[in-house]
Amino acid sequence: MMQSRLRYIAAATVSVLALTASGAALAGSFAIRSGQSAEGLGMAYAGAASGGIGLGSMAWNPATITMFPGRNSNWNATYIAPNGDYTPTSTTRLGSPVGPPTTALGGSPAGTGNLGGDGAFVPASFSAWQLTDRLWIGVTSTAPFGLRSKTDNYHAGQTYGRSAKVRTINIAPTIGYQVNDWLAVGAAVQGQFIKTNLKQATGVGPAATSAILDGDSIDFGYRLGVTLTPMKGTTIGVGYRSSIRQTLDGTFNTGGPLTFPIKANLNLPDSIVVGVSHQISDKWQVHLGYEWTNWSRFRNIPIVNKLTGAAFTSLNFQYDDSHFVSAGVEYRLNRDLTLRAGVGYEWSPVNDRNRTVFISDNDRLWLGVGGSYQVTEKIKLDLGYSFLHVKKATVNYGGAHPQQGPIFYQAEAKPYIHIVSAGLTYRWDNPVETIPVAPVVRKY
């Protein structure tokens, strides 16, 4: 009887990570592309793999570290304001699509409220140090996954989620080498910390307690990259970010006096990114980008009771791969001021069959603008803004959902996101003292 009850409660706890995205996700599912660089945000991250977004390019392609002579650091602070609340589109029922309305059992007909809440700040930093005319070392610090999400505590879909706090920190020591005049390679080791705290109701009424999953882990992956300079003014970059298998370790409280140790293996997706940057003239530069993310590997996640070794439940996401394309342009107005703009489009891994209460994610259009100002030879300031228009998103716990529970809940969201980011780049050495680079002989 006790084991049966635990399975039921665990099944009601939709997932370890279904609750980790904001109301309107910032990249496919719960990834956070937008927090990586103020310079990149202003161009919808076009040219990220080809060095087009400054030092932030290191997060996509470690070989781009070789494009920045001397010793440089870049710090970014990004504020993300998502809006993605769900409004029910049909009566929420218990047991089947024609079962009794949950309102008759004390349930609420209300929607989730603004999942994004007050938004969140995301930091990022990048440093590069040129050791010789061909060798660079550096480090990146980013937050590639997760965001705080919170519904109104008493809402129609509360058995599928009440709140989530997820934080990731990714530290990646990086090395780059200029092989010859037209080829550079790079590599990085990723150390990633993830922490989750997830709550959802154990019943439909306002007095229902919350089942709580809490856990964290530190695990490792890598990045590889290459840049090519086939002709003067043109750079092509390709980067690969490995999957990181997060071995989450934590506790599961059933909504009462019982708490159990649990573990779960989260296979976060790997990705490939390609970028092209071309200098048209002294004033104009254009950038293109493409990113593929292997979300289809993020499918079934057993939540395992460490005391018995048995799984409470298997959490089935059934995601698709995601694709992102972007184009950007920069105009150097004068010696100190550069203006930029970009547009992007992303095909989400989330669809109408597998979308959850906490991820009102769908295909989205990116529009970005920004600029950089060279204050002194050592200091540069960046400012970027993006607006993300997300297609209407529906959630359908109508019987066929991969994470279907006893509540039949259907709702609709019209998500959108505002993002603003500020960055500062500081050059620690004197530009005139930079290690000389070997003469460049390019193909034409």
Side-chain angles (χ1 to χ4, degrees):
M1 176 67 73
M2 177 61 70
Q3 190 68 20
S4 175
R5 179 173 179 267
L6 290 176
R7 287 196 184 98
Y8 173 81
I9 295 172
T13 305
V14 178
S15 78
V16 171
L17 278 176
L19 311 186
T20 66
S22 66
L26 304 171
S29 188
F30 54 91
I32 306 178
R33 176 183 299 109
S34 54
Q36 311 304 329
S37 162
E39 194 169 343
L41 186 67
M43 284 198 303
Y45 292 91
S50 51
I53 64 170
L55 283 167
S57 296
M58 293 167 59
W60 279 267
N61 178 1
T64 59
I65 192 174
T66 63
M67 300 176 67
F68 305 99
R71 299 189 294 274
N72 302 271
S73 292
N74 170 254
W75 302 274
N76 301 268
T78 301
Y79 177 70
I80 303 168
N83 293 268
D85 52 309
Y86 281 111
T87 301
T89 55
S90 65
T91 302
T92 302
R93 297 181 180 275
L94 177 65
S96 77
V98 295
T102 56
T103 50
L105 304 173
S108 169
T112 59
N114 184 11
L115 299 180
D118 297 327
F121 281 95
V122 179
S125 66
F126 312 91
S127 290
W129 185 2
Q130 184 181 7
L131 297 178
T132 72
D133 62 338
R134 295 193 181 275
L135 181 64
W136 279 254
I137 60 171
V139 65
T140 71
S141 173
T142 59
F145 295 98
L147 190 65
R148 180 178 59 193
S149 299
K150 191 178 190 305
T151 68
D152 290 344
N153 205 45
Y154 179 41
H155 69 96
Q158 66 179 357
T159 60
Y160 295 110
R162 274 181 169 169
S163 71
K165 292 182 180 179
V166 175
R167 298 185 295 275
T168 59
I169 301 173
N170 185 299
I171 307 295
T174 302
I175 187 169
Y177 187 75
Q178 188 74 44
V179 178
N180 54 37
D181 298 332
W182 56 273
L183 173 66
V185 296
V189 176
Q190 301 182 89
Q192 185 162 285
F193 169 78
I194 185 170
K195 182 173 178 59
T196 66
N197 180 272
L198 316 170
K199 299 178 182 179
Q200 69 184 66
T202 58
V204 297
T209 59
S210 291
I212 303 172
L213 273 169
D214 190 276
D216 56 55
S217 80
I218 299 176
D219 293 281
F220 298 90
Y222 62 90
R223 299 181 196 138
L224 300 173
V226 60
T227 60
L228 304 172
T229 309
M231 61 182 181
K232 184 178 181 180
T234 300
T235 303
I236 301 170
V238 181
Y240 174 75
R241 182 187 66 196
S242 76
S243 170
I244 296 181
R245 183 182 176 92
Q246 301 277 182
T247 53
L248 194 73
D249 186 74
T251 60
F252 173 46
N253 180 274
T254 62
L258 298 177
T259 298
F260 297 88
I262 60 96
K263 62 180 180 180
N265 293 323
L266 315 177
N267 293 312
L268 297 179
D270 52 335
S271 64
I272 295 174
V273 61
V274 180
V276 179
S277 297
H278 179 66
Q279 187 82 37
I280 298 175
S281 68
D282 291 341
K283 294 286 188 180
W284 291 95
Q285 192 171 22
V286 294
H287 308 272
L288 298 173
Y290 168 76
E291 184 175 353
W292 165 81
T293 305
N294 189 16
W295 278 111
S296 60
R297 72 180 299 139
F298 194 73
R299 303 188 69 80
N300 303 321
I301 302 174
I303 306 301
V304 177
N305 184 337
K306 292 174 65 176
L307 296 178
T308 65
F312 286 128
T313 187
S314 178
L315 308 168
N316 305 314
F317 290 89
Q318 310 303 321
Y319 279 172
D320 300 322
D321 292 344
S322 68
H323 303 268
F324 178 65
V325 295
S326 58
V329 61
E330 291 183 289
Y331 177 69
R332 187 173 183 179
L333 186 64
N334 54 46
R335 185 188 66 177
D336 299 323
L337 181 62
T338 299
L339 304 176
R340 59 181 61 92
V343 60
Y345 194 84
E346 182 159 16
W347 289 268
S348 171
V350 178
N351 55 50
D352 290 346
R353 184 181 63 86
N354 60 25
R355 189 173 292 109
T356 65
V357 167
F358 271 90
I359 305 179
S360 56
D361 183 22
N362 208 344
D363 301 348
R364 80 282 310 285
L365 174 70
W366 285 63
L367 300 172
V369 295
S372 297
Y373 187 75
Q374 194 73 42
V375 180
T376 69
E377 287 187 339
K378 290 178 172 289
I379 299 174
K380 185 184 73 168
L381 300 178
D382 300 301
L383 186 65
Y385 167 79
S386 278
F387 174 76
L388 278 62
H389 172 74
V390 185
K391 289 177 62 176
K392 181 173 68 176
T394 59
V395 64
N396 183 17
Y397 293 93
H401 196 284
Q403 298 169 359
Q404 182 69 44
I407 302 300
F408 283 70
Y409 172 77
Q410 295 176 314
E412 178 182 282
K414 298 178 179 179
Y416 62 92
I417 309 169
H418 296 284
I419 311 167
V420 63
S421 182
L424 184 150
T425 301
Y426 184 78
R427 183 157 181 174
W428 299 95
D429 62 327
N430 188 333
V432 300
E433 298 174 353
T434 299
I435 299 171
V437 178
V440 176
V441 178
R442 304 186 186 278
K443 298 180 181 178
Y444 290 90

